[in-house]
């Protein structure tokens, strides 16, 4: 059998394995069942692709999305691997052709949609084929707890009995304990070797900002990111369409994606995004699972996501190539209340609602954090870390102030108005605004009326959000509205027995300053670098002939070429990511493009 490291170098052009890759590969090669939990971008695919090439026979890879399958097959074929797909999007004749190749041992990998396992005769067909292994990708789809539940995944339990001699490897990026337990049970992998990686994605910078105006803030954020691909998540379909429209009007070409669109339109938009170098996709969470685009440079959330798990998955789509990437989120006062309402109004059993409420609180804790965001995020998944130096809090620590008095004012305004009003009215009372409602309810006669005049509306909003995060205030539903009530510890604050530290609300820098911050990082620093990068990208687009450009080379490979400036094919072969097959197909073209560039700046 060939050596895994030799396969990694020759076929994929990488120098060394990362993290648990080698250990997981060795287990599968030995014929052991294996469960791999690694964050998105850590390199799960190689954990089954390398054994597929080392062990005799073909690897059968179960993968939930047909669109994704095609891209993976295309990328493997570029590397000279004999890969194919089997799914319902193919016509019968094509399927027969692939199945014959599989039985005759002419394939290394075949990607299969889970529905196939329900097709009559499919397992019998597999019986007749030489099989190296089964890989079950996105294995959390088997779990009802996950948001991606796919009933067809349950059928995969049969593989254990039916193919006892074929090792099975299940892979997922979803970390929580329930899902893990479900995967092991449902897929009969209780005895499997487990490889669990740290969940940190150090190249992603996490930022949360208070939301004022979605579009204006988003445009300022995008201003420093021209030429980069990214995803903008919104909570509703309406908002997706509106935001995409406004971006296009402002001269930022943007695509839209949500479940309300025609299937054809959706696949079209997704394909255009994946094939672009700099596309901006505005989408609901319907867009995402299995978007295997390595060069997504940012993921922006204009609304709170559903949970920290969902957030981690969604932001994990940024920077899979390991280059600097950004997770940027706006957080508005109404978000938590709205999500709370969804939970209250759902038909779910109480136990599940309780779990969901706890998840919502963790999310608010993250959004309102005054300490390292990564620490909170990893802590939620049971990992620890030092302050990371790559989140908004570490980079620009918030100033804290003794907010006891401000907290007392807000809590007292909530209490004296009867714990029946939302944040808007409470802020009106604090700031002494004589609105129609204030007058009708005679809230202008309360002792708290106008005590908080000297603070801006946004400051009071921020204070109330922080009090909510600290559970001094709780948001509840009353007759269809969100109202603020006192939390259990609020009395201690009102009585002066407990002090409250609050974060000072910062004013946002204008687009100019954000642009400057930006220029200090990013894949290619100087203008000359940038120009070289663009030239290589243009060549890549041409060579891709309509396929996603990264199928030719990832951004990280182009950057490595610019760094090393290989002058010969031998030197080109040394560039990480350039394997033997790609060297043959593209090496000469890229050498020529590099030769045409001005020499690199000395520094
Ligand atoms: P996952 O499925 O875990 O999200 P992928 O398998 O898509 O991650 O890999 C993410 C990126 O990392 C890909 O661009 C892949 O080529 C790259 N990669 C994976 N393993 C290695 C390695 N050992 N050396 C260099 N690059 C790697
Ligand atoms: Zn940090």
């Amino acid at each position: 059998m060939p050596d895994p490291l030799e396969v990694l170098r020759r076929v994929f052009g990488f120098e060394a394995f990362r993290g648990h890759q080698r250990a997981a590969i060795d287990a599968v090669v030995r014929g052991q069942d294996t469960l791999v939990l690694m964050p998105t971008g850590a390199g799960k695919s190689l954990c089954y692709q390398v054994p597929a090439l080392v062990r005799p026979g073909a690897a059968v890879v179960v993968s939930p999305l047909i669109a994704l399958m095609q891209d993976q097959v295309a990328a493997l074929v570029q590397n000279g691997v004999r890969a194919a797909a089997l799914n319902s999007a193919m016509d019968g004749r094509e399927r027969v052709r692939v199945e014959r190749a599989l039985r005759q041992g002419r394939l290394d990998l075949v990607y299969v949609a889970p529905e196939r396992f329900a097709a009559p005769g499919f397992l019998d067909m597999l019986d007749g084929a030489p099989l190296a292994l089964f890989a079950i990708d996105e294995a959390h789809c088997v779990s009802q707890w996950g948001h991606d539940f796919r009933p067809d995944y349950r059928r995969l339990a049969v593989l254990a009995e039916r193919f006892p001699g074929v090792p099975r490897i299940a892979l997922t990026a979803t970390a929580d304990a329930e899902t893990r337990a479900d995967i092991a049970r449902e897929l009969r992998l209780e005895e499997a070797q487990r490889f669990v990686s740290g969940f940190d994605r150090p190249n992603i910078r996490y930022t949360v900002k208070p939301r004022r105006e979605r579009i204006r803030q988003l445009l300022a954020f995008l201003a420093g990111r021209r030429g980069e691909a990214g995803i903008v998540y919104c909570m509703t379909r309406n908002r997706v369409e509106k935001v995409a429209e406004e971006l296009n009007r402002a001269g930022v070409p943007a695509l839209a994606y949500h479940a309300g669109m025609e299937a054809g339109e959706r696949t079209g938009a997704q394909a255009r995004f994946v094939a672009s170098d700099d596309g901006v996709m505005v989408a609901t969470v319907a867009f995402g699972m299995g978007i295997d685009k390595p060069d997504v440079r940012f993921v922006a959330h204009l609304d709170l996501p559903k949970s920290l798990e969902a957030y981690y998955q969604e932001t994990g789509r940024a920077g899979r190539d390991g280059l600097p990437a950004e997770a940027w989120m706006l957080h508005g006062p109404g978000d938590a209340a709205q999500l709370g309402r969804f939970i209250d109004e759902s038909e779910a059993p109480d136990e599940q609602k309780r779990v969901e409420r706890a998840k919502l609180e963790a999310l608010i804790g993250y959004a309102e954090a005054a300490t390292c965001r990564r620490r909170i995020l990893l802590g939620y998944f049971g990992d620890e870390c030092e302050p990371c130096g790559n989140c908004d809090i570490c980079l620009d620590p918030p100033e804290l102030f003794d907010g006891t008095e401000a907290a007392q004012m807000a809590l007292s305004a909530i209490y004296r108005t009867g714990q029946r009003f939302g944040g808007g009215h409470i802020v009106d009372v604090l700031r002494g605004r004589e609105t129609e409602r204030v007058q009708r309810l005679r809230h202008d006669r309360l002792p708290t009326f106008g005590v908080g005049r000297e603070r801006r509306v946004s400051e009071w909003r921020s204070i109330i959000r922080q009090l909510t995060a600290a559970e001094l205030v709780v948001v509840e539903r009353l007759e269809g509205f969100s109202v603020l009530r006192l939390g259990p510890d609020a009395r201690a604050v009102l009585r002066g027995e407990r002090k409250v530290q609050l974060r000072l609300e910062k004013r946002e820098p204008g687009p100019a300053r954000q642009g400057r911050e930006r220029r200090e990082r990013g894949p290619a620093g100087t203008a000359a670098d940038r120009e070289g990068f663009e030239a290589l990208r243009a060549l890549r687009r041409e060579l891709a002939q309509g396929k996603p450009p990264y199928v030719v080379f990832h951004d990280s490979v182009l950057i490595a070429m610019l760094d090393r400036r290989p002058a010969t094919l031998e030197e080109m072969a040394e560039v990480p990511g350039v394997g033997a097959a790609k060297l043959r197909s593209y090496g000469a073209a890229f050498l020529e493009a590099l030769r045409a560039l001005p020499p690199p700046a000395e520094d």
Side-chain angles (χ1 to χ4, degrees), residues 104-243:
Q104 295 176 348
R106 287 185 282 114
L107 285 176
D108 302 312
L109 278 109
V110 54
Y111 283 79
V112 178
E115 306 74 82
R116 291 267 94 216
F117 288 84
F122 184 70
L123 291 173
D124 295 333
M125 188 281 295
L126 288 183
D127 262 335
L131 296 182
L133 59 107
F134 288 102
I136 300 155
D137 204 3
E138 314 280 4
H140 59 276
C141 290
V142 79
S143 167
Q144 237 159 355
W145 293 100
H147 34 284
D148 297 326
F149 178 49
R150 301 274 298 244
D152 278 320
Y153 263 65
R154 295 265 159 107
R155 296 180 188 281
L156 303 174
V158 71
L159 299 180
E161 291 161 32
R162 184 86 189 239
F163 302 90
V166 183
R168 293 168 300 134
I169 172 171
L171 311 99
T172 178
T174 297
D176 69 83
E178 275 135 345
T179 313
R180 257 183 234 186
D182 263 9
I183 294 173
R185 192 175 49 242
E186 297 292 338
L187 295 178
R188 312 276 182 276
L189 287 170
E190 290 97 339
E191 308 285 307
Q193 282 255 33
R194 287 190 181 206
F195 299 96
V196 182
S197 295
F199 273 74
D200 192 14
R201 297 283 309 280
N203 61 317
I204 299 183
R205 174 175 297 181
Y206 297 95
T207 303
V208 181
K209 297 211 174 274
R211 188 173 66 227
R212 302 208 171 81
E213 292 169 63
R214 281 191 185 82
I215 298 292
R216 192 186 55 72
Q217 287 174 288
L218 179 63
L219 283 171
F221 172 76
L222 294 175
R225 288 163 184 80
R226 284 290 160 102
E228 299 188 351
I231 306 172
V232 178
Y233 280 116
C234 304
M235 198 181 314
T236 62
R237 298 172 184 186
N238 265 341
R239 187 162 297 137
V240 165
E241 293 189 345
K242 188 156 163 282
V243 170

Side-chain angles (χ1 to χ4, degrees), residues 393-579:
I393 305 279
C394 286
L395 290 165
D396 189 9
E399 285 170 56
L400 298 179
F401 69 100
D402 180 352
T404 311
E405 196 188 350
Q408 285 169 338
M409 287 178 183
L411 294 174
S412 147
I414 291 168
Y415 182 69
R416 288 187 188 264
T417 52
Q419 311 193 61
R420 294 187 292 122
F421 298 94
H425 183 66
I426 299 298
V427 174
D428 285 342
V429 170
L430 285 163
R431 297 196 6 106
R433 278 189 67 208
E434 312 245 359
T435 63
E436 182 273 326
R437 181 152 59 164
V438 164
Q439 287 172 348
R440 178 161 43 83
L441 297 164
R442 305 199 172 173
H443 284 167
D444 47 355
R445 305 201 183 160
L446 296 174
T448 32
F449 186 73
V451 290
R453 267 201 183 86
E454 79 285 5
R455 289 190 194 278
R456 285 173 288 134
V457 174
S458 61
E459 284 178 77
W460 277 119
R461 292 245 174 219
S462 157
I463 290 168
I464 291 174
R465 279 200 312 272
Q466 295 183 58
L467 294 176
T468 310
E471 293 176 32
L472 293 168
V473 170
V474 288
V475 182
E476 277 181 13
R477 297 293 298 169
L478 187 71
E479 289 153 17
F481 293 95
S482 307
V483 304
L484 304 181
R485 303 176 65 92
L486 299 192
D489 290 344
R491 290 198 187 272
V493 175
L494 283 169
R495 282 198 228 104
E497 293 160 10
R498 177 174 157 179
K499 290 218 168 298
V500 181
Q501 285 281 314
L502 293 177
R503 217 166 357 94
L504 215 54
E505 183 76 349
K506 289 205 175 105
R507 290 182 185 265
E508 261 186 68
R513 157 125 190 265
Q514 294 192 349
R516 199 173 331 119
E517 276 172 14
R518 175 65 193 169
R519 242 164 274 131
E520 291 157 13
R521 26 175 250 97
T526 68
D529 288 346
R530 192 84 214 167
E531 203 186 303
F533 186 56
E534 288 310 328
L536 296 191
R537 273 176 147 190
L539 172 60
R540 176 175 72 172
R541 245 192 320 275
E542 205 180 295
L543 294 172
Q545 297 176 324
K547 286 192 288 291
Y550 63 78
V551 165
V552 174
F553 284 125
H554 285 183
D555 282 357
S556 53
V557 181
L558 302 187
I559 289 167
M561 286 183 193
L562 287 167
D563 273 354
R564 300 178 174 218
R565 300 283 177 139
T568 63
L569 281 174
E570 290 74 52
E571 286 170 16
M572 183 61 101
E574 299 285 301
V575 175
V578 182

Side-chain angles (χ1 to χ4, degrees), residues 214-434:
R214 281 191 185 82
I215 298 292
R216 192 186 55 72
Q217 287 174 288
L218 179 63
L219 283 171
F221 172 76
L222 294 175
R225 288 163 184 80
R226 284 290 160 102
E228 299 188 351
I231 306 172
V232 178
Y233 280 116
C234 304
M235 198 181 314
T236 62
R237 298 172 184 186
N238 265 341
R239 187 162 297 137
V240 165
E241 293 189 345
K242 188 156 163 282
V243 170
E245 205 180 294
E246 299 231 23
L247 288 185
N248 283 312
R249 197 175 312 142
V252 180
L255 297 157
Y257 187 110
H258 59 70
M261 288 161 51
E262 297 272 317
E265 263 182 293
R266 262 191 343 242
T267 2
Q270 172 164 338
R272 273 203 300 283
F273 174 70
V274 171
S276 78
D277 280 332
D278 57 359
V280 174
M281 174 62 93
V282 186
T284 60
V285 293
F287 179 73
M289 188 179 59
I291 298 306
D292 191 15
K293 185 171 168 55
D295 55 358
V296 173
R297 293 269 68 84
F298 60 85
V299 171
H301 282 83
L302 302 190
D303 304 287
L304 274 191
K306 213 171 150 255
S307 64
L308 276 183
E309 282 98 334
Y311 180 67
Y312 204 64
Q313 281 236 329
E314 284 148 28
T315 55
R317 291 170 191 139
R320 293 167 70 129
D321 53 12
L323 295 173
E326 204 136 2
W328 182 87
M329 177 164 94
L330 293 179
H331 171 213
D335 292 0
Q338 187 169 357
L339 288 170
R341 193 168 64 230
F342 290 156
I343 296 174
D344 290 345
E345 288 170 359
S346 82
E347 308 276 295
D350 283 352
E351 169 62 13
Q352 190 180 336
K353 286 188 180 180
R354 199 184 52 71
V355 173
E356 287 181 8
R357 253 185 237 109
K359 290 188 172 187
L360 177 58
E361 270 156 29
L363 182 66
I364 298 169
Y366 171 80
E368 289 299 331
T371 57
C372 176
R373 305 241 188 237
R374 190 178 312 270
R375 221 172 171 172
I376 296 180
L377 209 47
L378 294 182
Y380 183 73
F381 294 115
D383 269 8
E384 286 170 22
C385 78
E386 294 300 304
C388 72
N390 196 24
C391 73
D392 56 340
I393 305 279
C394 286
L395 290 165
D396 189 9
E399 285 170 56
L400 298 179
F401 69 100
D402 180 352
T404 311
E405 196 188 350
Q408 285 169 338
M409 287 178 183
L411 294 174
S412 147
I414 291 168
Y415 182 69
R416 288 187 188 264
T417 52
Q419 311 193 61
R420 294 187 292 122
F421 298 94
H425 183 66
I426 299 298
V427 174
D428 285 342
V429 170
L430 285 163
R431 297 196 6 106
R433 278 189 67 208
E434 312 245 359

